[in-house]
Amino acid sequence: MSRSDAEKADFLRRMIKYIPHAGELGMRVERVAGNELTLRLPWREDLVGNPETGAIHGGVITTLMDQALGTAGLVHDDVPPNITPTLDLRIDHLRQSPRGADMFATARVYRATSRVLFVQGLAYCESPDKPVARATGSFVLRGEIDLQRILSPEET
């Protein structure tokens, strides 16, 4: 049975609450549309890597992309809720982010096997047509962990 976008977004929000670095950086769910998710990273001075330009640090962008791609399986209709450790991640940093601009990261699974998810995404500030970074990655499905039980609404 397929879940609604609102149900997927709610589940994703609960999952992100359990990931310390996501909370520390201030990541939040911006949107779920079908099998694609968008996370938002609000701009903060302490996340800047280049004080002269105000650009977000590359490590922060990498963390945001890893989080978005790694949780993309949570909104994919053909993948049961799962913990997905990063197997491989490639990020192309294309340009600096502008000072004061929130960053968004979109991700979607483009192929799922019984044990591995293949995911792609991008990070942007002003528009997805002007990405700050592009990423592809593969993530291992850990089917032995029952996320539905761990993240039940009653426990959050």
Side-chain angles (χ1 to χ4, degrees):
M1 180 177 181
S2 182
R3 298 168 292 152
S4 72
D5 290 350
E7 289 170 319
K8 292 175 187 180
D10 180 60
F11 188 79
L12 187 57
R13 282 183 192 97
R14 287 185 276 133
M15 180 67 181
I16 286 176
K17 281 176 51 177
Y18 282 92
I19 301 171
H21 68 264
E24 184 68 30
L25 291 172
M27 291 181 204
R28 60 183 188 248
V29 177
E30 179 70 13
R31 180 174 74 94
V32 172
N35 288 329
E36 183 175 281
L37 68 86
T38 302
L39 299 181
R40 176 190 287 253
L41 178 69
W43 187 90
R44 295 189 335 228
E45 188 73 39
D46 64 325
L47 301 180
V48 168
N50 184 338
E52 290 181 22
T53 66
I56 297 296
H57 189 281
V60 174
I61 295 169
T62 297
T63 303
L64 175 65
M65 296 301 297
D66 187 44
Q67 183 69 40
L69 272 66
T71 55
L74 295 174
V75 301
H76 195 281
D77 290 330
D78 297 333
V79 178
N82 225 292
I83 289 180
T84 53
T86 307
L87 183 61
D88 180 57
L89 182 65
R90 176 193 165 92
I91 300 177
D92 296 321
H93 294 268
L94 305 172
R95 64 176 45 88
Q96 290 187 4
S97 60
R99 179 183 302 278
D102 289 357
M103 186 167 294
F104 301 89
T106 62
R108 70 174 185 82
V109 174
Y110 65 89
R111 175 151 165 63
T113 70
S114 62
R115 295 295 293 161
V116 178
L117 298 177
F118 298 92
V119 188
Q120 60 189 8
L122 56 90
Y124 63 92
C125 293
E126 294 105 353
S127 164
D129 297 327
K130 191 177 175 184
V132 171
R134 291 189 185 278
T136 57
S138 53
F139 298 82
V140 179
L141 290 168
R142 300 282 311 268
E144 67 275 10
I145 300 170
D146 183 1
L147 279 184
Q148 290 285 22
R149 183 185 56 76
I150 293 170
L151 297 175
S152 68
E154 298 80 39
E155 297 179 27
T156 58

